[in-house]
Amino acid sequence: MRTRTRVYRFIRGLFVSGRVQLYLLALAAVCLMIEGVYIAVVPPVSGYETSIYEPYPLTFWIALFLSIALIVVVLLTASVSSRSFYGRALILLAANYGILLFLPTFRGYQLHDNANGDILVHLGHIRTIVVEGNVPDLWYPFEHVLMAVFAVFGVPLEESSMLFTLVFLLIFVTTAGVFLRSVLRRNFALAAGTAAATPLLMASFTVSAQPSIFSVFLLPILLTFSYRFRRTLDKRYFFLLCLILFAIILFHPVTSLFVIGILCSTWLFGQVYEWLTGHRIPTPDWNLALAMIPLLFIWYTGFDKTWFMLNKKLKTLTGATASPVGATTEETVLLTFEQIMIRFVQLYGAVFIYLIIAAIVTLVVIFRISRGSVTFPGMYLSLLFVMGFFSALTLLISPIESFAPIRSSRFLIVMAVLLVSTALVSATYTDYQRSLTVIITGAIIVAIALSVAIVYQPNIHMTKSEFEGAKYVNEYHASSASVYNVRMTDNMEDYLHSVPRSEIETYHFGGLGKKLPHRLGYTKNNTAAETFGNAFLVTKEADTKFYEASYFFPDQQESLFIFNESDKAKLHDDVTVNKLYENGGFEGWRVNTPT
């Protein structure tokens, strides 16, 4: 015990003056410069590549990870240092985030999503706002209007989504710290909250420009205004709280329901806390929650899409339509237990690290309550964490949203971040728990490494040749002919057009029956006309390479294979096929039935 105390005092002494933090920040800046050098010297891609990670050497990724990890360490030394390095650490963190988020631009991609992602629809709406000068028939226009402002000031449409993501990430990491400092009333909580919010736990959804994700990034600031208003009854905080509530209503409907739950539970918690401790907490949140319900009703019931989506979900619930979870056009391979574990750690390892720590903190809070020890921050955040768990469970087992574990658990993840921050602060100021600070810090650093590695999924990027080819097909092919392709949906047409979806007369892409068959059908038929009839075919460089991604296990690669260059050569020699378009990475073929 004495040896451990001496070691702790020695380490503490190193950071008290702040000199070591300066060295660590300087090293983080050197790592940042190394990243910049690689960005400058690695040339943009000339064709299709399966992964954005592989073109850059391991040194680049080590420098990125080490820079962010050093920033976290510097932030967490604020508990013993006489100097604050928060501003400088935040600037370096923003620079690292910026490099990671703008990698698709540095690689020369058209977009950090392929031809079927939700980001295509959102960017199409933004293009409509910029070109037409008005907001289209949108459920939740808040994100689109803000991103359109970037476009108005000259930021390219594709880069505006990256810039928007960077802004909201910084809002989240800073306001997480601000909220913790307000609740715990300790200056160190600001740095602890920011450090705990640093890992990109939303994984690939971070760069997908989804309002459902960006809207939950506003929850810490909403909780901050709510808490400060209840504590001070200052009308300025009430005004700011109402402003955030209004923004969230326009941001996403499900997040609005989360907020109603937060406000109602805060009111209920105040009553229970007063009963347990005798201390009264002003709780105007109940009235605000009631006020949000008619606002939500008035806003969303004014859209035809609301009733269309409700009808669609009710049909799915009653079994009238197939579940979207089971709808797939690609074969699947049963993975071994070892492969399942590897994939689980890759995809959800960072999130589960946080969930495990948050669950332990919640159990400790429950134990302390049973022993008569009641504290407001621990009880309140544990309550919200439990709410987040049940909300995630509801979204996962119901067809309210498309099946995506990270997206469905977004409220739970935000609450886990706040609980991990609380554990950091509590451990730092308790002598017998200081070793927990090291453990939690290590967990955060591991989560950083895991989350950075899954921000970009394989085969998720659109090349410029794909974009130009899709424009050609969309504009010039005969509308009477079906378009067969691989992984292109009607979302691509929303991205190409600057008009609302309702005004697009005919969609050319998409549909489960319009996927190119194995070996382009030449294993069963001698000509394309026998396979496709009167049709238009789209082949891309990506179609012959995507299955080769190192991310896939060998059995998956074999299962995902569709066709290769030899099959395209058969298309070229087929008397029923004419090649109408080619730009080096995208080909358009016309199949004519014999007369």
Side-chain angles (χ1 to χ4, degrees):
M1 179 65 72
R2 290 182 178 179
T3 302
R4 188 169 65 178
T5 302
R6 289 174 183 172
V7 171
Y8 169 76
R9 289 178 178 175
F10 172 74
I11 296 176
R12 178 187 176 93
L14 292 176
F15 291 100
V16 167
S17 66
R19 182 173 298 178
V20 174
Q21 287 92 317
L22 284 175
Y23 294 150
L24 294 179
L25 285 176
L27 181 57
V30 170
C31 292
L32 186 63
M33 288 191 294
I34 293 174
E35 298 168 39
V37 170
Y38 279 112
I39 291 296
V41 301
V42 175
V45 64
S46 57
Y48 180 80
E49 56 189 17
T50 60
S51 172
I52 199 172
Y53 293 99
E54 294 177 359
Y56 296 100
L58 183 60
T59 307
F60 171 85
W61 297 108
I62 292 176
L64 177 66
F65 161 72
L66 184 59
S67 182
I68 299 177
L70 289 172
I71 291 167
V72 168
V73 171
V74 169
L75 287 171
L76 295 182
T77 60
S79 62
V80 298
S81 177
S82 58
R83 300 172 60 185
S84 173
F85 299 92
Y86 185 83
R88 280 167 279 191
L90 195 62
I91 291 173
L92 288 175
L93 179 63
N96 280 282
Y97 278 165
I99 286 178
L100 183 63
L101 295 176
F102 280 86
L103 277 183
T105 298
F106 300 142
R107 295 301 302 139
Y109 296 141
Q110 171 67 22
L111 192 64
H112 57 287
D113 207 326
N114 54 27
N116 59 12
D118 287 344
I119 188 175
L120 300 174
V121 179
H122 298 306
L123 291 182
H125 289 320
I126 296 165
R127 194 191 306 275
T128 300
I129 295 173
V130 174
V131 174
E132 301 293 324
N134 57 67
V135 179
D137 187 24
L138 283 175
W139 259 9
Y140 29 83
F142 191 78
E143 172 190 276
H144 308 85
V145 172
L146 291 182
M147 290 174 66
V149 172
F150 291 143
V152 168
F153 282 97
V155 180
L157 184 64
E158 291 72 24
E159 279 69 31
S160 67
S161 65
M162 304 173 193
L163 183 59
F164 191 80
T165 301
L166 177 60
V167 170
F168 268 73
L169 273 177
L170 294 178
I171 289 175
F172 176 65
V173 299
T174 53
T175 56
V178 171
F179 170 67
L180 262 294
R181 185 173 62 178
S182 299
V183 173
L184 301 178
R185 303 186 187 182
R186 294 183 182 273
N187 290 331
F188 172 62
L190 173 64
T194 298
T198 297
L200 302 173
L201 298 180
M202 299 299 176
S204 59
F205 287 100
T206 305
V207 294
S208 62
Q210 293 201 11
S212 59
I213 301 299
F214 289 142
S215 56
V216 296
F217 284 165
L218 295 178
L219 292 184
I221 194 169
L222 179 138
L223 291 171
T224 301
F225 292 150
S226 174
Y227 176 78
R228 289 188 175 181
F229 175 51
R230 286 186 284 109
R231 186 177 133 197
T232 66
L233 297 180
D234 191 327
K235 293 182 180 180
R236 290 176 298 177
Y237 291 125
F238 178 76
F239 172 76
L240 292 172
L241 178 60
C242 291
L243 195 63
I244 291 295
L245 291 175
F246 179 73
I248 289 177
I249 289 176
L250 301 183
F251 223 137
H252 198 267
V254 176
T255 306
S256 301
L257 296 178
F258 290 159
V259 170
I260 291 176
I262 290 173
L263 297 178
C264 291
S265 63
T266 301
W267 176 84
L268 181 61
F269 172 78
Q271 308 304 310
V272 174
Y273 188 78
E274 181 180 355
W275 175 69
L276 290 174
T277 65
H279 299 293
R280 184 180 181 277
I281 302 176
T283 53
D285 303 301
W286 174 254
N287 295 328
L288 285 174
L290 290 178
M292 279 193 70
I293 295 174
L295 288 176
L296 273 173
F297 180 82
I298 293 171
W299 175 258
Y300 286 104
T301 55
F303 295 92
D304 292 337
K305 184 178 179 180
T306 302
W307 305 108
F308 171 78
M309 293 298 294
L310 284 175
N311 184 55
K312 182 178 179 181
K313 300 303 180 183
L314 286 173
K315 285 183 178 180
T316 304
L317 279 172
T318 57
T321 60
S323 169
V325 179
T328 177
T329 60
E330 295 183 349
E331 298 179 27
T332 57
V333 174
L334 293 178
L335 302 180
T336 66
F337 178 77
E338 180 183 359
Q339 291 173 334
I340 291 174
M341 289 296 99
I342 291 173
R343 192 66 80 232
F344 180 85
V345 172
Q346 286 177 323
L347 295 176
Y348 309 115
V351 170
F352 264 79
I353 288 174
Y354 269 63
L355 294 183
I356 290 171
I357 296 174
I360 292 173
V361 173
T362 300
L363 292 175
V364 170
V365 169
I366 294 174
F367 174 75
R368 288 180 176 177
I369 292 174
S370 68
R371 300 290 296 270
S373 176
V374 180
T375 59
F376 171 80
M379 284 184 63
Y380 182 54
L381 292 178
S382 296
L383 171 65
L384 295 182
F385 179 74
V386 173
M387 282 182 53
F389 171 78
F390 284 107
S391 71
L393 191 64
T394 301
L395 292 176
L396 284 171
I397 65 177
S398 70
I400 297 175
E401 294 182 335
S402 58
F403 183 81
I406 296 292
R407 177 181 172 179
S408 300
S409 306
R410 56 192 183 274
F411 178 34
L412 176 65
I413 292 171
V414 171
M415 295 305 114
V417 168
L418 298 180
L419 271 179
V420 170
S421 309
T422 304
L424 264 174
V425 177
S426 300
T428 302
Y429 286 97
T430 307
D431 289 339
Y432 66 88
Q433 292 181 342
R434 284 185 182 131
S435 58
L436 289 178
T437 304
V438 178
I439 295 174
I440 297 174
T441 302
I444 293 173
I445 292 174
V446 172
I448 290 171
L450 291 173
S451 63
V452 166
I454 59 169
V455 169
Y456 295 105
Q457 293 291 303
N459 301 303
I460 202 68
H461 305 296
M462 183 193 302
T463 64
K464 294 187 181 298
S465 62
E466 290 174 355
F467 175 71
E468 295 298 330
K471 284 174 60 178
Y472 171 85
V473 173
N474 188 67
E475 293 177 13
Y476 297 111
H477 100 283
S479 59
S480 60
S482 300
V483 179
Y484 288 82
N485 66 87
V486 177
R487 299 190 308 161
M488 289 181 68
T489 67
D490 54 10
N491 288 355
M492 185 67 180
E493 291 169 84
D494 286 310
Y495 175 51
L496 295 173
H497 287 273
S498 60
V499 296
R501 174 183 285 261
S502 58
E503 295 181 20
I504 301 177
E505 296 180 359
T506 304
Y507 280 102
H508 305 130
F509 306 123
L512 297 181
K514 300 298 184 291
K515 180 189 174 185
L516 291 174
H518 183 71
R519 293 286 188 179
L520 299 179
Y522 286 111
T523 57
K524 297 180 178 180
N525 300 306
N526 294 323
T527 65
E530 296 176 77
T531 303
F532 302 102
N534 181 34
F536 198 98
L537 310 184
V538 166
T539 58
K540 308 183 296 295
E541 184 182 9
D543 302 339
T544 61
K545 291 185 176 181
F546 79 94
Y547 68 93
E548 299 174 351
S550 58
Y551 175 83
F552 300 125
F553 297 113
D555 289 345
Q556 287 180 303
Q557 291 178 336
E558 183 178 350
S559 173
L560 292 170
F561 171 81
I562 301 176
F563 63 90
N564 57 23
E565 293 296 330
S566 65
D567 300 306
K568 287 168 61 175
K570 293 179 181 178
L571 267 184
H572 187 273
D573 297 333
D574 195 326
V575 294
T576 64
V577 178
N578 293 318
K579 180 185 284 188
L580 302 182
Y581 180 88
E582 181 179 10
N583 65 7
F586 187 106
E587 300 89 21
W589 312 78
R590 185 69 167 90
V591 181
N592 299 293
T593 55
T595 56

